[in-house]
Amino acid sequence: MSLNDVAEADARPIAVLASSRAVIEGELSAATVVMDQDTGKITSIFHSVLPASDFPPGTAYADHSPHILIPGLVDAHVHLNEPGRTEWEGFDTGTRAAAFGGVTTVIDMPLNAIPPTTTIAGLKEKVQAAEEKCWVDVGFYGGIVPGNASELRLLVEQGVRGFKGFLIDSGVPEFPAVSSTDIALAMAALADEPTTLMFHAEMIPPLAASVGDDVQWSLPPLAPIGPLNEYATFLASRPVSFETYAIAQILSLAYIAPNLSLHIVHLSAIEAIPLLQEAIAHGVKITAETCFHYLSLAAESVKDGDTRHKCCPPIRSKSNQNGLWEELMQDVGCIKTVVSDHSPCTPNLKLLPSSISSSSSGDHPHHSNSKSEKDKGDFFAAWGGVSSVGLGLSILWTEGRNRGISVEDVVRWCCKNTAKQVGLERQKGDLAVGFDGDVAVFDDEGVFEVGEQAMLFRNKCSPYQGMTLKGVVKETWVRGQMVWEREGRGFGKEPPRGKLLLERRR
């Protein structure tokens, strides 16, 4: 498209972003990106920085050199918890936090909202709760639970981006774990559907073959190796065998649906990597993700009682972290994506001792805690989940720069591949003509401290509190419209314009 074409394109309003550095179709170069503000699409890209004078008078134009234009991140693993547990999170606060960090699309997990997204009725209720509240685009996963196999194809028709099931207790009673029989039924139902079947892959290995794999509950050990407020005690209770056994179980059933894409969420244990590599070599369609916290936090650094670090699977050793990075940086590795797994709760559910600083939510009162001080810091009783939506780009950049990553790597792991995972690879995850005008303006040299002003999620309780991170998002654009500006308008006065992504996957 020529500049004359740009100027004469039905006189529709356009926005133009330029920079000496931009990641265009996976490559770093100078670029000028033109977006149609009516359709929200990128209409043209020039591989140089064009001046404002090349565009019609009044065009929204900004040259962001030397900051980097990157595609908006697609965070394919977020718990927004609405309806039902909006005191934990919600569409408004969760998507604001996402926009702060350059995330332009989030995919909401089927739990911990009430009801969960395991039926058509549950999806409709969630969609109704999300309408006119989202600052970025939002898609939805369905869930697999015992007895809902007949709902799965219907959920595909209604636009869910994939499905998730647990092989171990999920932590909430309305989303029970699945057995191998349930998994087989789900695979058979989805065998020819354009979707992704994902698993929380932890499972208590049976003591003998006769034990079976019925729903398993995660309880404190009968004989803990140490005090329950020591992280080492918790870590020992979720050994790597939980992950490897669960993944082996999933792989043993893959023959049921050889064309169905399978995916392991939040992979933590490096011992599982050879299992996945071997399966892929034999033609199984399976990928894995890992999370910002597994790549940046290590067990050796977790202080006694600091339950902000509790999640499942657990944050493991520094050497395990190094192994995750090694696999991630392989072009043909099984770990394809990095996501937040933002899984918040109210601060009282973290049972933090008074010796550990944590502020309560900024928009509702701190809930009282009936636990005595001596009971606080219990890693087994505390809610498991790390809050980090909107911080991931900076977390990854801070840790990854020391390991030699490039901004192109970040785009591949957090934009392009996550979009592909959820069937959005033809409209999101890249800066290309015809794609949505989802852009983050990234200052790769900027730094900030993670205080309350950087945690826009509802409850300001995160293991990243007080840390200094490198890499600052200056602006976030969703479908050709600026939704967040760090220095200036903030979120402005316009209402949320995020779109609910409910078109059927193809």
Side-chain angles (χ1 to χ4, degrees):
M1 180 178 284
S2 69
L3 284 177
N4 286 335
D5 292 332
V6 170
E8 296 173 2
D10 299 328
R12 292 193 300 268
I14 61 172
V16 179
L17 302 178
S19 179
S20 56
R21 295 188 297 165
V23 181
I24 305 296
E25 298 186 30
E27 301 292 333
L28 189 66
S29 69
T32 301
V33 179
V34 182
M35 301 173 289
D36 185 319
Q37 294 192 294
D38 282 344
T39 66
K41 298 292 185 180
I42 296 173
T43 56
S44 54
I45 295 177
F46 301 91
H47 294 279
S48 61
V49 176
L50 300 181
S53 58
D54 281 0
F55 298 93
T59 296
Y61 173 95
D63 179 358
H64 288 286
S65 305
H67 303 326
I68 310 173
L69 305 182
I70 64 172
L73 276 66
V74 178
D75 192 340
H77 193 145
V78 177
H79 295 266
L80 292 174
N81 302 341
E82 187 173 358
R85 289 192 176 96
T86 51
E87 72 273 19
W88 292 17
E89 193 61 275
F91 289 105
D92 175 59
T93 52
T95 59
R96 277 179 182 264
F100 171 89
V103 177
T104 55
T105 304
V106 301
I107 312 298
D108 181 47
M109 280 290 164
L111 73 161
N112 302 308
I114 302 173
T117 316
T118 54
T119 64
I120 291 294
L123 175 62
K124 288 181 177 177
E125 194 165 338
K126 179 168 281 192
V127 168
Q128 184 177 16
E131 288 174 347
E132 299 182 356
K133 294 180 183 176
C134 299
W135 295 90
V136 302
D137 289 353
V138 175
F140 303 96
Y141 289 122
I144 60 168
V145 294
N148 82 325
S150 63
E151 295 271 355
L152 303 184
R153 289 197 190 106
L154 299 174
L155 286 165
V156 172
E157 289 294 330
Q158 293 300 310
V160 300
R161 313 310 304 178
F163 294 87
K164 180 188 182 182
F166 277 69
L167 277 71
I168 200 169
D169 172 39
S170 72
V172 292
E174 67 274 4
F175 202 93
V178 289
S179 68
S180 58
T181 301
D182 299 316
I183 295 171
L185 289 171
M187 286 182 171
L190 298 172
D192 299 314
E193 297 292 343
T195 193
T196 303
L197 183 55
M198 311 182 300
F199 298 96
H200 179 125
E202 284 185 290
M203 191 174 185
I204 302 171
L207 299 176
S210 62
V211 171
D213 68 347
D214 288 338
V215 174
Q216 302 178 68
W217 296 87
S218 174
L219 298 172
L222 295 177
I225 66 167
L228 301 186
N229 72 331
E230 290 186 2
Y231 188 73
T233 307
F234 172 68
L235 180 59
S237 77
R238 311 287 290 216
V240 297
S241 59
F242 279 30
E243 292 191 68
T244 55
Y245 186 79
I247 289 173
Q249 182 86 316
I250 294 160
L251 293 174
S252 74
L253 299 168
Y255 73 92
I256 295 171
N259 295 320
L260 179 62
S261 294
L262 306 176
H263 184 75
I264 304 300
V265 299
H266 47 50
L267 181 71
S268 166
I270 58 173
E271 289 83 355
I273 291 172
L275 295 175
L276 294 169
Q277 291 172 331
E278 182 180 5
I280 292 167
H282 284 86
V284 177
K285 295 178 65 175
I286 190 165
T287 55
E289 69 189 36
T290 194
C291 300
F292 302 119
H293 44 274
Y294 299 134
L295 296 173
S296 61
L297 304 173
E300 294 91 334
S301 301
V302 180
K303 295 178 180 179
D304 291 353
D306 194 351
T307 55
R308 293 174 300 183
H309 293 78
K310 180 188 175 180
C311 58
C312 298
I315 295 163
R316 302 192 187 275
S317 66
K318 186 69 175 180
S319 62
N320 184 86
Q321 181 188 102
N322 291 338
L324 292 174
W325 272 105
E326 182 178 346
E327 180 67 10
L328 178 65
M329 295 179 73
Q330 302 295 320
D331 288 340
V332 293
C334 62
I335 302 176
K336 298 296 186 185
T337 56
V338 186
V339 296
S340 70
D341 186 14
H342 175 67
S343 185
C345 65
T346 52
N348 63 300
L349 295 179
K350 277 297 189 181
L351 303 178
L352 282 168
S354 57
S355 59
I356 295 175
S357 173
S358 175
S359 62
S360 63
S361 168
D363 56 7
H364 66 80
H366 183 70
H367 291 255
S368 62
N369 192 342
S370 60
K371 292 281 187 179
S372 65
E373 187 64 28
K374 69 181 180 64
D375 294 323
K376 293 183 181 179
D378 181 339
F379 279 97
F380 294 89
W383 173 258
V386 171
S387 294
S388 67
V389 68
L391 299 176
L393 174 57
S394 302
I395 293 167
L396 193 63
W397 191 244
T398 301
E399 178 68 26
R401 285 297 296 270
N402 298 324
R403 298 174 181 270
I405 71 167
S406 66
V407 70
E408 297 98 310
D409 292 327
V410 173
V411 168
R412 184 170 70 255
W413 302 327
C414 302
C415 307
K416 189 176 181 65
N417 288 353
T418 45
K420 182 178 180 180
Q421 176 187 320
V422 296
L424 294 171
E425 68 272 22
R426 289 180 291 276
Q427 68 183 91
K428 294 186 180 292
D430 206 350
L431 297 183
V433 172
F435 276 58
D436 289 349
D438 297 346
V439 186
V441 180
F442 184 54
D443 176 1
D444 57 323
E445 296 296 333
V447 297
F448 68 99
E449 181 177 327
V450 182
E452 288 200 24
Q453 298 304 311
M455 295 183 290
L456 273 60
F457 36 85
R458 187 178 298 278
N459 294 290
K460 321 305 183 188
C461 183
S462 171
Y464 295 101
Q465 283 174 269
M467 291 188 183
T468 297
L469 298 180
K470 189 166 190 176
V472 173
V473 173
K474 310 293 282 187
E475 293 179 6
T476 301
W477 291 68
V478 178
R479 287 179 287 105
Q481 302 286 340
M482 185 197 296
V483 299
W484 160 252
E485 182 182 27
R486 188 179 183 90
E487 298 165 358
R489 65 189 286 275
F491 284 93
K493 298 180 180 179
E494 295 293 323
R497 297 179 179 175
K499 179 182 177 182
L500 304 184
L501 304 173
L502 294 169
E503 64 274 14
R504 191 186 193 280
R505 279 187 68 163
R506 302 296 176 187

